[in-house]
Amino acid sequence: MKTDVDCLGRSLREPKAFELIFERHFGSIHRYLQRRAGRDLADELAAETFALAFERRASCRASGSVLPWLYGIATNLLRRRWRAERRQLRAYARSGVDPWVAYEDEAAAGLDDAALGARLARALAAMRPRERDALLLYALADLSYDEIAFALDVPVGTIRTWLHRARQTARRVLAAEADVFPLATPGADRYG
Amino acid sequence: MFSLSRHQELIGMDELDLFRDFRSGVAAPSEDAQRRASARLGRAVGREQTPGTSAPRLIAKLGGYRVLALAALAGATATALFVSTPWKTSASFLERAQAALTPPPGMILHKRWETTMTSTDPACTVTRGPSEMWIDQKPPYRYRLLTSDLGGTACASGAAAEFGGTLDQESALRFVPPNTLIGWRLRFPSLRDPETRLREAISAGTAHDEGKTELDGRTVERIRIDPPSDCPSCEPAYVYVDPDTFYPVRTESAIGVSAQAGGPFVVRFHVVQKILTYEYLPRIAANLALTDILAQHPNATGP
């Protein structure tokens, strides 16, 4: 089986070879985008991600899977729409209704705790865009710190800083409303 | 409110890991989304495999619009108050448009649209469609058209009809239910050579990029097309395109209808065409069949 890097290299001579990259990773990229921007925008941005990746494939420096690189492109595309994402997050925080889950999926999907979902959305909305990007690449895409750094093209130390800040923001927002439930603190066990 | 079981689960968890829950509820991409994305990538791949080709497809939209208008106003001579060819603005816009609209070799254009025509005298607004067509981009450019407006008048939609043929011939086939094909005279002149039309339009220099705007909740690029200089009563037309693909989203224009060629306009319409689908499909057997009226009605009797 050809590795991603093999396919990428071959696609420089035979462009059609890039289609294997699409087949392998379209689902992952689409799900990541869908979670952040909704299904309609995910349809558009996922397609754009692969079209852009194809155009830029000669500059890809991936040595293994190209998935982190693709996540980076998708994240950069999302940045143009961050206002829409923040608006959705705020709506989620207010209503507790997940705006990204399609109606037909509601019965089987979504967070199992609406209040938690709303709080997480509020925390995400309170983060700086870069910190949110790093956090969601970690939490949604399962990337390691090194892979996030590669995806966002910044030093890994910067990623650690961003995630540290994201953690602080999450802790602050979640704890601020946890008067009945101090999250992950010694006092929490009184409810357990 | 957190449930106790959920609460217990969360104790001691890294805050960042809580956000993994956001993955739940995300469905797999639809087949349609995957197909569209694949087609878009296929176009990019095709362009690289066949460098040097160029052909805009926005003209195809305008051509489709005109065909619909002509079909809707059968019996009268419809004259566009603007000419759809002018197509130019800043160099950067042209470069981007040309790059984005370079035709994918060996693809099939699929377009679905709806047209709303508003007339002041007689006063009426009629929404026609949706209509749909498929055009093979290889000679002889076989097409199939589904219109809902055959024999329509100024203030009334016509009947549904299906046509098929090739763009190099004026004669077409029309399917008549339940199972007959008959000869019909139908032309798609504006689709014959869209590359030439665009080259002429660019050199005319009368299209202007007016920048991004919001339309039905999405960001689009608005383009103004000047009316012909020899038509003082004509109005500019507006084309809204997807800022990334340059595919048409909507057009706004005016047309006039005269009782005879070259005569005064007896009816004027404001026309809004909403493009519901504009895409290129891979040239596989299943999609080719969509362009072929004979393949759609293999047992029909006819000429």
Side-chain angles (χ1 to χ4, degrees), chain A residues 4-188:
Chain A
D4 281 357
V5 174
D6 290 338
C7 294
L8 211 59
R10 191 175 165 197
S11 74
L12 295 172
R13 302 183 307 277
E14 302 170 37
K16 279 187 75 66
F18 194 84
E19 289 172 359
L20 192 55
I21 301 280
F22 174 90
E23 288 171 20
R24 282 180 184 167
H25 300 306
F26 181 78
S28 298
I29 294 297
H30 189 280
R31 279 190 288 275
Y32 168 71
L33 288 166
Q34 188 184 162
R35 181 64 266 183
R36 295 195 59 178
R39 187 178 291 188
D40 290 346
L41 201 50
D43 288 353
E44 175 189 336
L45 294 183
E48 191 171 353
T49 296
F50 282 89
L52 267 179
F54 176 73
E55 283 177 18
R56 299 174 182 174
R57 67 195 188 282
S59 61
C60 177
R61 294 176 287 107
S63 55
S65 169
V66 299
L67 198 49
W69 175 63
L70 293 170
Y71 277 124
I73 294 172
T75 302
N76 284 330
L77 290 174
L78 268 173
R79 198 161 299 132
R80 298 182 200 162
R81 319 291 181 109
W82 70 271
R83 286 188 179 84
E85 182 181 25
R86 191 175 59 181
R87 197 162 50 239
Q88 296 276 55
L89 285 168
R90 287 175 173 169
Y92 190 2
R94 280 195 305 272
S95 66
V97 177
D98 188 340
W100 294 285
V101 176
Y103 176 76
E104 61 266 31
D105 299 329
E106 276 184 345
L111 292 177
D112 57 1
D113 189 318
L116 173 62
R119 290 177 184 202
L120 295 178
R122 191 166 301 147
L124 283 171
M127 291 173 194
R128 293 176 179 169
R130 278 298 199 178
E131 294 162 13
R132 186 164 61 233
D133 287 344
L135 165 58
L136 293 177
L137 285 171
Y138 169 83
L140 300 183
D142 272 334
L143 298 192
S144 67
Y145 284 26
D146 285 336
E147 288 172 327
I148 299 170
F150 179 77
L152 300 181
D153 199 23
V154 295
V156 70
T158 303
I159 296 302
R160 288 199 181 92
T161 301
W162 285 350
L163 288 176
H164 175 67
R165 288 179 187 156
R167 185 179 287 108
Q168 285 181 319
T169 302
R171 187 171 297 158
R172 176 170 49 79
V173 173
L174 295 172
E177 301 173 21
D179 53 337
V180 295
F181 174 46
L183 179 75
T185 65

Side-chain angles (χ1 to χ4, degrees), chain A residues 16 26 30 34-35 39 43 57 109-111 113 115-116 119-120 124 138 140 142 167 171 181 188 191, chain B residues 1-2 4 6-7 14-17 19-27 29 33 37 40 44 48-49 244:
Chain A
K16 279 187 75 66
F26 181 78
H30 189 280
Q34 188 184 162
R35 181 64 266 183
R39 187 178 291 188
D43 288 353
R57 67 195 188 282
L111 292 177
D113 189 318
L116 173 62
R119 290 177 184 202
L120 295 178
L124 283 171
Y138 169 83
L140 300 183
D142 272 334
R167 185 179 287 108
R171 187 171 297 158
F181 174 46
Y191 299 101
Chain B
M1 180 74 71
F2 290 98
L4 288 184
R6 183 63 178 155
H7 167 204
D14 183 333
E15 286 83 352
L16 300 189
D17 289 320
F19 291 89
R20 294 186 188 279
D21 276 359
F22 260 61
R23 286 184 290 197
S24 61
V26 178
R40 181 170 177 183
E48 198 160 302
Q49 285 179 328
D244 297 321

Side-chain angles (χ1 to χ4, degrees), chain B:
Chain B
M1 180 74 71
F2 290 98
S3 64
L4 288 184
S5 60
R6 183 63 178 155
H7 167 204
Q8 288 171 323
E9 183 187 323
L10 295 176
I11 292 173
M13 205 175 190
D14 183 333
E15 286 83 352
L16 300 189
D17 289 320
L18 291 176
F19 291 89
R20 294 186 188 279
D21 276 359
F22 260 61
R23 286 184 290 197
S24 61
V26 178
S30 66
E31 285 185 14
D32 185 54
Q34 195 152 349
R35 182 176 54 77
R36 287 168 189 266
S38 176
R40 181 170 177 183
L41 178 62
R43 290 195 295 276
V45 169
R47 277 197 295 271
E48 198 160 302
Q49 285 179 328
T50 315
T53 53
S54 66
R57 290 294 175 252
L58 285 173
I59 295 303
K61 163 197 57 65
L62 295 168
Y65 145 78
R66 187 165 180 167
V67 165
L68 180 66
L70 287 168
L73 301 166
T77 302
T79 305
L81 291 181
F82 73 95
V83 177
S84 62
T85 51
W87 198 264
K88 182 177 180 181
T89 181
S90 65
S92 62
F93 169 71
L94 285 177
E95 287 168 5
R96 287 184 292 135
Q98 283 180 319
L101 293 170
T102 299
M107 301 291 272
I108 293 168
L109 171 63
H110 172 217
K111 182 189 169 190
R112 190 164 169 270
W113 72 98
E114 186 178 87
T115 304
T116 299
M117 301 177 72
T118 303
S119 166
T120 50
D121 183 18
C124 58
T125 296
V126 178
T127 296
R128 308 167 190 277
S131 297
E132 191 165 19
M133 68 179 178
W134 297 262
I135 303 175
D136 185 5
Q137 296 301 303
K138 276 193 171 181
Y141 305 102
R142 193 170 59 197
Y143 68 85
R144 191 164 67 92
L145 167 69
L146 302 176
T147 177
S148 61
D149 211 29
L150 180 67
T153 62
C155 291
S157 292
E162 177 180 359
F163 297 96
T166 58
L167 292 181
D168 62 348
Q169 292 186 340
E170 293 187 9
S171 60
L173 291 175
R174 179 188 168 195
F175 178 70
V176 180
N179 204 25
T180 305
L181 288 167
I182 61 174
W184 201 265
R185 193 174 172 83
L186 188 69
R187 297 177 60 194
F188 287 81
S190 59
L191 294 180
R192 284 268 181 89
D193 186 355
E195 295 86 347
T196 299
R197 290 175 69 92
L198 180 64
R199 285 194 293 270
E200 292 171 352
I202 290 172
S203 58
T206 51
H208 313 276
D209 180 14
E210 296 198 328
K212 290 184 171 50
T213 186
E214 290 290 315
L215 186 68
D216 296 334
R218 63 181 287 188
T219 302
V220 295
E221 193 99 6
R222 174 169 148 140
I223 297 158
R224 187 185 80 247
I225 301 175
D226 293 340
S229 57
D230 59 352
C231 181
S233 63
C234 291
E235 302 168 17
Y238 295 93
V239 180
Y240 299 84
V241 301
D242 183 291
D244 297 321
T245 64
F246 282 82
Y247 285 176
V249 174
R250 172 183 169 121
T251 67
E252 296 174 357
S253 59
I255 63 170
V257 181
S258 58
Q260 59 185 13
F265 298 127
V266 294
V267 183
R268 288 172 182 265
F269 290 98
H270 179 68
V271 183
V272 174
Q273 183 182 98
K274 188 174 179 182
I275 291 89
L276 308 173
T277 303
Y278 193 96
E279 62 181 354
Y280 283 95
L281 305 174
R283 203 168 179 275
I284 59 177
N287 291 333
L288 280 169
L290 295 172
T291 70
D292 188 350
I293 194 169
L294 294 174
Q296 296 296 317
H297 306 285
N299 302 316
T301 57

